[in-house]
Every structure is written in C-alpha cells, then in structure tokens.
Amino acid sequence: MKQLGNFIDGRFWPAAGGSFLDNIEPATGSVLARVPDSGTEDVEQAVAAAGRAFPEWSARSVAERATLLETLAAFIATRADDLAALESADTGKPLKLAREVDMERARANLKFFAGAMSHWASAGHDMGPAGFNYTRREPLGVVALITPWNLPLYLLTWKLAPALVTGNTVVAKPSELTPMTAHALCELAIEAGIPPGVFNLVHGTGPGCGQALVDHPSIRAVSFTGGTATGKTIARSVAERLIKLSLELGGKNPALVFADADMDKTIPGLVRAGFTNQGQVCLCSSRILVHDSTHDEIAAKLTDAVKAMKLGDPKEPDTDQGALISSAHRDKVTGYIEQARSDGGRILCGGEVIQPRGRCRDGYFILPTVIADLPAESRLHHEEIFGPVVTLQRFVDEDEAVHLANSVDYGLAATVWTENLSRAHRVAARIQAGIVWVNNWLVRDLRTPFGGMKDSGLGREGGHWSLEFFTEPKNIFIDGR
Ligand code: TXE
C-alpha cells in the first residue's frame, strides 16, 4: 500500500500527528493509498519553509524561474502515461481523457506561464518634463493554492505555474480525494531542480488542513478552485486580513440551442459539454435550453447519442464514462435524480446506479442521464449537480432563452448553438457568464480570462490575469526636474 507524505522543504514527511486518511479508487471502491491527515503543525512547517525560500527564489531572474518550469513541463510530457494512469485510478475518469486532456494541459500550463512571464512587460507613464512613472510587479510572498478533485494535476499546475514564475513560494493543498498526481509532481519538482521550500504541499481534509492554511497569518494570497459553499467560507476567513483572493467556483451552465443550430455540430457538442468527466467539470453544460420547435428532435437525437456512450472500467481504451469521485457524491447525484422523479420529470435515458461486472463491480457508476419536462422551479434547474445529469427546458424566443440562462445564482460558462452570426453576438453579450462558447465547448486559449460571475467566483485566471493576481503593483515616480 502506497503511503504518501507531505512535501516540505524538498522532502517528504508524515503528518505531525501520525494519522492517515484512506484514498479510495472510485472505479473499484478499494483503497489506493494512505494520505497524511495533516493539521496546523504541518501547515506551520510548510509555510515556514516557503517563507525561508522566498528571498532567494524571488531574487532569481525570470529566465531562471521560467527554465525550471519548462523542465518540469518536459518531465510531465515524458511521464504522461504513468501520470495519466495515476490520475485515472485516483479520479475514476477514463484513462484516455486523463492522457489526452489532463496531462496535456498540465504540461501546457507550466510551459505557457513560463513563456507568458518572459513576454510580460511592466507599464511606464511619462509625465513629460515633470517626471516619469514606472510600475514594478512584485511577488507577494508565500501563497496558498487549494484545488479540487475533478481535474487534479490540471488545476494544480494552472495555479502553481503563475505563482512560481512571478517569484512567489507556494504551499499547496490538493483535494484529499485525489492526492496521487500532486505527490508525483513533488517528486518531479525535486528532479527538475526546484529549490527546497519553493513548492510545498500538504495533504489533508478541508476543515483540518485547508482551513489551517487559509488562516495562517503569513499567507499573502489564496487561490482556490472548488465548491461555492467552501469558497464563501474561505472568503469570510481571509476578509479580516485583506489578502488577495481568487475564487473559481461552481456553475449551472446553460446550453442555448436555437432552431437554426447545425445538428451535426450541436448533438456531439452537447454530449461532450454535458458528460465529459461524468459531468464533473465546473464548465459542463447541465441545462440544455431548446427552442420549442426542435425540442423533441433534439431530445431524441441527444438521448440516442448519450445511450451510445460506453460506461465501464476507466482503464479500457473505449470507455467514455468512468466512475464518480466517491460514494457520497454518487448518492448526492442519485438524490437529484430521485428529486426529478418526484418533481414529475421524464427520464429519457439513464437515471440509475450501475455496477459493471468484474474489477469495477463495487465502483461508483451512474448511467448518463437526460431529463425533460421538469417544472421551471425544480431544484435540478438551479443547483449544481456535478454529475452525468442534464435537463432539457423549452423556450419560445430569444428573450426567454436569455431569461432562463440568467435565472440561476451561478454565472460561469454558457454555450450558444446557432448558425445566425448576429444572434450569436447578441445573445453572448446578454448572458451573465464569464465565458461563452458559440458552437463549441471547452476550447481553451490560455491567454484568455477564465472565471465566473455571481456565485461562480471572484477574479479571473489565465494569461496576464494570473500574473497580475500573483503580484503586487508598485508605482515609482522619478522627478524630471
Ligand atoms: O469541494 P470542496 P467538495 C462543487 C461540486 C461539488 C461541490 C462540493 O458541486 O459537489 O462543489 O465538492 C478544500 N478551507 N465543486 O466538497 O469542499 C478541499 O479539501 C480550505 C466544483 O469536494 O470545495 C479541497 O482541496 N480548504 C468545483 C478543495 O477545498 C477547504 C470542483 C475543494 O473542495 C475547506 C469540485 C476549508 N474550509 C467541486 N473545505 C469546480 N469549481 O470545478 C474544503 N477545502
């Protein structure tokens, strides 16, 4: 049984209290590894190590820091198969998804921010004969990165790369449900030559370890991706200290399907947007809003396409749908399906827990589910389910489509499906969401702003937004007289 350690000052340590959590493989229900159940003392040591490393790391040139990130990116590329296998076992996601999306993106994150920082310029404001201003961007110090279980290495590297390349030192806390690739990244950091104390990682629960990290007085910024309720708890915790906070939270993302949508693009797009990673992506389109005239056609075609997906062992190369992250999360999702039944919804496909034969018979699987005819006020239309469940809703015109799209507390992402260019622009501008994709989903350019409005978060990541978050601007005026 693999036993993981906290990564502090370039070495692995057990939790100070000596206790461990079981890390379960979602596809089988068996224990994959033991994870340190860390608390205040471990966090204290990790923050102290990061504080000691900060002066030397922040004084290094951008080129030196960027080169180390590029080395780490290259290691991820060469070990991508092994890392993908770890990620797939830890999350229940199909191996091919872990390989093609998660590992590729983890590599790209490190490489991208190494390049972005190398091209980043600071501002100058010329006042003519009176003088000149220039703006330095200074690292913050020790920053906390807290990440969830759905895209473990993808999201950890998304925060780690800009934090380090701008000269900060880091204490990260991955989800206690998915610690495996975070641990592997620490091993690679040693090999890549990242100096001890620059990148530290503590394992443990949210309340026990994550909260201690957020509350540590030496932490200068918190970058968090996770659930909205946890994001609000963290915001309350740091409010008194007025430190920087980036929150990437949940979504209840609409797909607006107009009558002129191209079905050949739209149906596969809706399947991908609804069910990638078993619907456990904050960007997933879980509410499909369809023009009344094409509702039944879309419902039939979507149902056929969803039924054609293969659910099963994540290791099998043709598996499209793997396991949900935990038994508790499976029960939460099935609770919503029960609610749909009592709300009078029509289950067009799925709606059941399933136990595949063989190795995965005790895993946490739910058949991908499409539900129609729920009343507008149903909780399923408003709350984040975060599973393989989509609902269909009808609209009669553009105004109603936009009204339904905006009628939730969330505002992360939306997709618009139409062949009418004017409509695409008009509707995209009216949607309350940080990201709108027209005729596609999850096409990412790492230079663009990423994040949500309303209950979906605070701030933006990506490109210069991340570099700005992890630095403090300081303006310096030089008298011209
Ligand atoms: O996430 P949490 P959970 C949504 C999704 C899901 C719900 C709850 O709807 O059903 O959130 O998921 C750490 N101080 N998303 O409970 O708790 C925790 O240990 C500091 C959307 O699993 O938000 C983990 O490392 N840290 C989301 C991280 O926060 C704390 C992805 C995220 O866990 C903490 C995941 C605390 N008090 C779930 N409490 C997305 N935006 O993609 C917990 N943590």
Side-chain angles (χ1 to χ4, degrees):
M1 173 74 51
K2 182 142 175 118
Q3 201 155 287
L4 308 187
N6 289 327
F7 184 58
I8 300 174
D9 222 357
R11 288 175 56 195
F12 291 101
W13 308 83
S19 50
F20 288 89
L21 303 162
D22 282 343
N23 174 32
I24 308 288
E25 179 177 10
T28 62
S30 55
V31 180
L32 194 61
R34 298 176 77 217
V35 196
D37 185 9
S38 314
T40 313
E41 204 178 324
D42 307 282
V43 166
E44 182 60 49
Q45 284 170 15
V47 175
R52 286 192 300 275
F54 178 71
E56 197 271 334
W57 179 248
S58 56
R60 288 199 183 197
S61 69
V62 167
E64 277 180 275
R65 294 195 298 255
T67 302
L68 283 170
L69 291 194
E70 278 170 0
T71 307
L72 197 52
F75 283 171
I76 289 178
T78 52
R79 318 280 165 85
D81 288 339
D82 294 344
L83 290 167
L86 272 184
E87 199 76 297
S88 168
D90 210 6
T91 58
K93 69 177 65 193
L95 181 58
K96 70 178 174 197
L97 184 73
R99 180 70 183 81
E100 288 164 18
V101 176
D102 295 67
M103 294 314 122
E104 171 46 27
R105 184 51 197 280
R107 181 205 62 77
N109 287 337
L110 290 156
K111 183 128 178 79
F112 170 78
F113 280 110
M117 186 64 187
S118 312
H119 292 272
W120 204 32
S122 56
H125 295 88
D126 193 346
M127 297 176 74
F132 184 75
N133 298 277
Y134 66 95
T135 308
R136 283 168 55 84
R137 303 279 332 186
E138 299 179 350
L140 306 173
V142 182
V143 299
L145 314 180
I146 301 178
T147 46
W149 43 262
N150 58 338
L151 299 160
L153 193 64
Y154 175 132
L155 289 175
L156 174 56
T157 50
W158 177 236
K159 296 181 188 299
L160 183 68
L164 290 185
V165 82
T166 46
N168 302 281
T169 53
V170 163
V171 179
K173 197 207 83 67
S175 169
E176 59 275 33
L177 302 178
T178 55
M180 301 303 281
T181 51
H183 180 85
L185 186 69
C186 298
E187 292 173 336
L188 294 181
I190 300 174
E191 259 186 81
I194 302 219
V198 166
F199 167 40
N200 307 273
L201 190 132
V202 283
H203 294 281
T205 64
C209 179
Q211 190 67 48
L213 180 57
V214 163
D215 288 340
H216 196 290
S218 301
I219 292 294
R220 301 310 313 148
V222 177
S223 177
F224 171 79
T225 299
T228 295
T230 309
K232 288 182 179 177
T233 302
I234 291 174
R236 279 190 290 270
S237 305
V238 303
E240 200 54 44
R241 307 204 318 275
L242 294 179
I243 61 172
K244 282 186 145 186
L245 179 63
S246 166
L247 298 175
E248 299 298 338
L249 308 177
K252 188 66 186 174
N253 311 303
L256 291 79
V257 185
F258 289 92
D260 60 12
D262 176 343
M263 290 291 163
D264 292 341
K265 278 191 261 180
T266 305
I267 299 297
L270 293 177
V271 172
R272 206 165 71 80
F275 298 98
T276 295
N277 206 31
Q278 296 76 248
Q280 302 168 126
V281 180
C282 53
L283 303 162
C284 275
S285 299
S286 54
R287 294 186 292 142
I288 305 181
L289 315 178
V290 188
H291 190 265
D292 195 43
S293 64
T294 49
H295 177 278
D296 294 352
E297 183 192 355
I298 299 253
K301 287 186 168 154
L302 179 66
T303 306
D304 285 348
V306 169
K307 282 183 182 160
M309 282 193 289
K310 182 169 178 282
L311 177 146
D313 189 338
K315 282 186 176 173
E316 298 296 331
D318 57 345
T319 293
D320 301 306
Q321 290 284 287
L324 272 73
I325 188 66
S326 64
S327 59
H329 191 57
R330 176 200 56 199
D331 295 346
K332 176 182 158 182
V333 176
T334 51
Y336 277 105
I337 296 171
E338 287 316 310
Q339 178 76 49
R341 289 199 171 94
S342 58
D343 287 352
R346 201 156 44 95
I347 314 271
L348 303 182
C349 65
E352 282 162 46
V353 163
I354 186 157
Q355 307 301 151
R357 274 196 226 120
R359 194 182 85 90
C360 297
R361 66 186 170 277
D362 295 322
Y364 315 131
F365 295 85
I366 295 182
L367 281 175
T369 302
V370 180
I371 307 174
D373 299 342
L374 282 164
E377 63 281 4
S378 170
R379 281 172 51 209
L380 277 89
H381 288 319
H382 295 270
E383 296 175 15
E384 186 180 44
I385 301 173
F386 219 62
V389 178
V390 303
T391 59
L392 287 167
Q393 268 177 292
R394 295 167 193 265
F395 64 82
V396 292
D397 59 22
E398 208 173 286
D399 281 346
E400 192 184 14
V402 171
H403 170 75
L404 287 172
N406 292 340
S407 66
V408 294
D409 292 336
Y410 294 101
L412 185 56
T415 56
V416 179
W417 303 87
T418 179
E419 291 300 298
N420 179 329
L421 183 61
S422 311
R423 192 204 311 272
H425 284 293
R426 207 165 49 231
V427 169
R430 293 176 68 193
I431 291 178
Q432 295 165 352
I435 304 150
V436 180
W437 284 287
V438 176
N439 294 331
N440 213 325
W441 177 73
L442 198 42
V443 181
R444 291 282 292 118
D445 177 332
L446 303 188
R447 295 170 300 177
T448 59
F450 178 88
M453 301 178 179
K454 295 156 70 177
D455 268 4
S456 291
L458 197 65
R460 296 291 183 272
E461 297 183 292
H464 67 78
W465 285 270
S466 291
L467 300 177
E468 277 160 15
F469 175 75
F470 285 112
T471 53
E472 193 80 81
K474 178 192 282 173
N475 192 68
I476 298 169
F477 169 75
I478 308 286
D479 199 300
R481 289 168 301 158

